[in-house]
Every structure is written in structure tokens, then in C-alpha cells.
Amino acid sequence: MEEKLKQHTTNCIKVVLFGPESTGKTTLSKQLARHYNSVWVPEYAREYLQNKWNEERKTCEPEDLLPIAVGQMALENELATKTDSVLICDTDLLETKVYSEAYYSGSCDPLLEKYALKNTYHIYFLTYIDIPWEKDDLRDKPNERERMFKAFENALKKYNRPYVLLKGSKTERLQIAVNHIDELLKNNV
């Protein structure tokens, strides 16, 4: 199991969109992948949990978190082989850890936690809650956005992750992210 949670070594710059539900992570990650003509790693949990909802009418449970983490890392590791410039990740295991702790009384599977802290990325873009919340089958905390945002920001600070806060319109967020990624690309060459 541990091997499945390990991040493979690559030469690309790894970027993570990070933050609470319905804050524009997927939209922005797709825009960034298009901008850099690169690879987008979707959030595996969305597909996994949507299938669970469609089949069982159940939401996420603690036993879903390790399969979600394994699926996320399989996607990331596979797609990382398809670029040597920028890999845009819609999420990472640290996000799964934050959700685990927020939803399940502060607990997180030790194996998930180990790799959430061990896997590394060049920059995190923390998406703020200044865009309207959109309902779907999986989103369930419209009134807890502030609390969830603080949980995500606190995790980045606690684990000393390099991050940039993204606020404003889609255009403003994209421009800020591009500026930071361009700087990383310039310094990485």
C-alpha cells in the first residue's frame, strides 16, 4: 500500500490547487494546464465519490479516504510522466488529510498522513471563499466555508508549504498564478 501513495520523482514543476469546496480549484487548474499547454491532474475523489453517490446514495466515509488517496497518486504519477514543464494538480493528499480531520473528529489514517506530509510540490495556490458556493451532489458545507478555509490555510502554515493566496475574479486568480509559475519556471531552468 505504501508504494501506491509514494510520489514518483519527476523533472516538472508541481503545482497544487488547494482549498475548500467550491472555490474554483478545478476551473483554475484546467485554465492553467491550457495556458501552459501542459497536464492537468483531476481530483480523483470527485469521480470516486460521485460513483458512490450514484450507486449507493452515500457520501464519503472514513474507509473511502485511502482508496481516494491511492487513486489520486496513481493519476498524479501517471500524468507526471507526460510533461517535463508544469504539472497542475487539482488536489493532493494534504487536502485529503485536511478533509479527513475536519469531517472525522480530527483523525487521519496514519498512512495517508505519512504521505500527505512526505510528498512535495513547488507551490500551492490556496483558493479563497470570495466566489459563490455552487451546490452539487458532493458539496455539503456551504455554511462552513470560513472554518474550512482556515483549516486549509493552517495546514499549509503548519507544514511549511510554499503557498500563494488567490482571491478575486477568475481572471485575477489566473494572472496571479501564472506570474508565480512563470517565476518558478524561470528559476528552475
Side-chain angles (χ1 to χ4, degrees):
M1 174 67 78
E2 285 204 42
E3 196 59 38
K4 293 180 178 181
L5 293 172
K6 232 180 235 181
Q7 186 180 55
H8 296 171
T9 303
T10 64
N11 293 325
C12 62
I13 290 177
K14 292 184 177 181
V15 174
V16 179
L17 280 289
F18 195 79
E21 64 184 20
S22 194
T23 56
K25 294 182 301 289
T26 299
T27 299
L28 183 55
S29 61
K30 288 178 181 178
Q31 288 175 321
L32 287 168
R34 273 193 305 275
H35 178 85
Y36 289 102
N37 193 29
S38 192
V39 180
W40 169 62
V41 181
E43 181 183 13
Y44 180 79
R46 296 283 308 165
E47 180 182 345
Y48 178 97
L49 293 173
Q50 187 66 56
N51 288 338
K52 181 175 180 158
W53 176 256
N54 293 344
E55 293 170 13
E56 305 172 40
R57 285 296 187 247
K58 288 183 177 178
T59 57
C60 190
E61 299 169 292
E63 60 269 17
D64 293 318
L65 296 176
L66 270 181
I68 286 170
V70 167
Q72 188 65 44
M73 288 315 300
L75 270 176
E76 180 183 316
N77 286 330
E78 176 192 344
L79 293 170
T81 65
K82 300 183 184 312
T83 184
D84 59 359
S85 63
V86 180
L87 184 71
I88 308 295
C89 302
D90 197 333
T91 190
D92 76 335
L93 299 189
L94 185 57
E95 179 136 345
T96 306
K97 176 184 177 341
V98 171
Y99 273 117
S100 177
E101 292 168 348
Y103 278 69
Y104 307 114
S105 305
S107 67
C108 181
D109 181 284
L111 201 53
L112 169 58
E113 181 169 29
K114 176 181 177 180
Y115 285 94
L117 302 181
K118 189 173 186 173
N119 295 345
T120 60
Y121 300 86
H122 291 84
I123 193 165
Y124 284 79
F125 290 114
L126 176 61
T127 52
Y128 193 60
I129 56 174
D130 58 345
I131 61 173
W133 185 83
E134 292 182 20
K135 181 173 178 40
D136 69 15
D137 291 340
L138 304 178
R139 294 176 178 154
D140 63 351
K141 299 234 184 266
N143 300 319
E144 296 186 36
R145 296 177 88 198
E146 183 77 29
R147 180 181 74 83
M148 291 304 297
F149 175 80
K150 287 179 182 173
F152 283 102
E153 187 171 40
N154 288 341
L156 292 172
K157 289 177 179 178
K158 180 178 181 178
Y159 300 113
N160 201 28
R161 301 295 196 223
Y163 79 96
V164 173
L165 177 62
L166 295 181
K167 289 183 172 184
S169 69
K170 290 178 185 178
T171 304
E172 291 168 321
R173 291 173 178 221
L174 177 63
Q175 190 56 59
I176 292 167
V178 164
N179 290 346
H180 285 278
I181 293 169
D182 285 351
E183 192 65 29
L184 286 169
L185 287 167
K186 186 172 80 174
N187 292 331
N188 198 42
V189 177

